[in-house]
Amino acid sequence: MQTTSIVLAVLLGLGLSASTGLNTFLPLLLLSAAARFHIAGIELGARFDWLSTDVAIVVLIVASIVEIIGDKVPAVDHFLDAVGTFVRPIAATVATASVLTGADVNPTVAAVIGIMIGAPTSLGFHTLKAGTRIASSAATLGCANPVLSLIEDLISLSLSLLAIFVPLAVPIAVGLLVWLLWLVPKRIRRREALPT
């Protein structure tokens, strides 16, 4: 039983980490709300109880709204991506470590796993997202970026919900998402290279 809960916590952390690569605060907000309202049996370790407090939820709601709106504004979206390079891996580490300590993993071990799994996963998805944005900016002069941002928000929301409710499906969803985020910029560049 202990092993099962740890595996599910790792998969939950992986899904949330991938989601933070696309949207920093929305996955943390969903995790915070799930822990606060005891949804899907989500529990956080004692050191992460602050994440499910009313204050944390309000701050995450405000941060999510600011990020979602700001990411649709030209120039602001590039600034948020630059900041996200540093903030998103931290958010992923916190998400992963918090659910692992909730599964009774030693807090130090949970933090190390968060750094080893959460941070690189988030940074990897952030990098794939940035590549898609660069290709889109070059092909459409940034006109398609708000639409891409909305799609990223929806994917982040969906992947976070999937991780919370069906963590066993996370590896398949993450693999599919990596393939899509790799394919889209490639197709955009190929289309851009075609003679007109």
Side-chain angles (χ1 to χ4, degrees), residues 14-92:
L14 178 67
L16 292 171
S17 296
S19 296
T20 62
L22 302 175
N23 184 305
T24 311
F25 299 108
L26 187 59
L28 284 177
L29 172 60
L30 293 172
L31 173 63
S32 179
R36 176 80 169 98
F37 300 107
H38 310 290
I39 297 170
I42 301 292
E43 290 184 30
L44 307 179
R47 294 184 184 198
F48 293 95
D49 277 345
W50 58 269
L51 193 55
S52 61
T53 63
D54 292 339
V55 172
I57 290 174
V58 169
V59 169
L60 288 169
I61 288 171
V62 171
S64 295
I65 291 169
V66 168
E67 182 178 25
I68 288 168
I69 293 171
D71 203 38
K72 312 293 182 284
V73 178
V76 175
D77 62 341
H78 294 299
F79 171 75
L80 289 175
D81 270 346
V83 171
T85 302
F86 304 100
V87 176
R88 288 180 176 155
I90 294 169

Side-chain angles (χ1 to χ4, degrees), residues 47-166:
R47 294 184 184 198
F48 293 95
D49 277 345
W50 58 269
L51 193 55
S52 61
T53 63
D54 292 339
V55 172
I57 290 174
V58 169
V59 169
L60 288 169
I61 288 171
V62 171
S64 295
I65 291 169
V66 168
E67 182 178 25
I68 288 168
I69 293 171
D71 203 38
K72 312 293 182 284
V73 178
V76 175
D77 62 341
H78 294 299
F79 171 75
L80 289 175
D81 270 346
V83 171
T85 302
F86 304 100
V87 176
R88 288 180 176 155
I90 294 169
T93 300
V94 168
T96 303
S98 68
V99 295
L100 282 169
T101 56
D104 293 327
V105 173
N106 177 287
T108 304
V109 173
V112 169
I113 293 172
I115 291 168
M116 290 174 59
I117 293 175
T121 300
S122 178
L123 190 58
F125 275 89
H126 172 71
T127 302
L128 287 169
K129 169 189 170 170
T132 303
R133 287 293 185 93
I134 289 168
S136 168
S137 293
T140 68
L141 301 176
C143 293
N145 286 359
V147 174
L148 276 177
S149 175
L150 180 60
I151 292 169
E152 292 160 2
D153 294 337
L154 292 173
I155 291 172
S156 181
L157 173 66
S158 302
L159 185 55
S160 296
L161 291 173
L162 183 73
I164 290 169
F165 290 105
V166 194

Side-chain angles (χ1 to χ4, degrees), residues 1-14:
M1 185 66 175
Q2 174 77 10
T3 304
T4 303
S5 64
I6 291 172
V7 169
L8 292 176
V10 168
L11 293 174
L12 172 58
L14 178 67

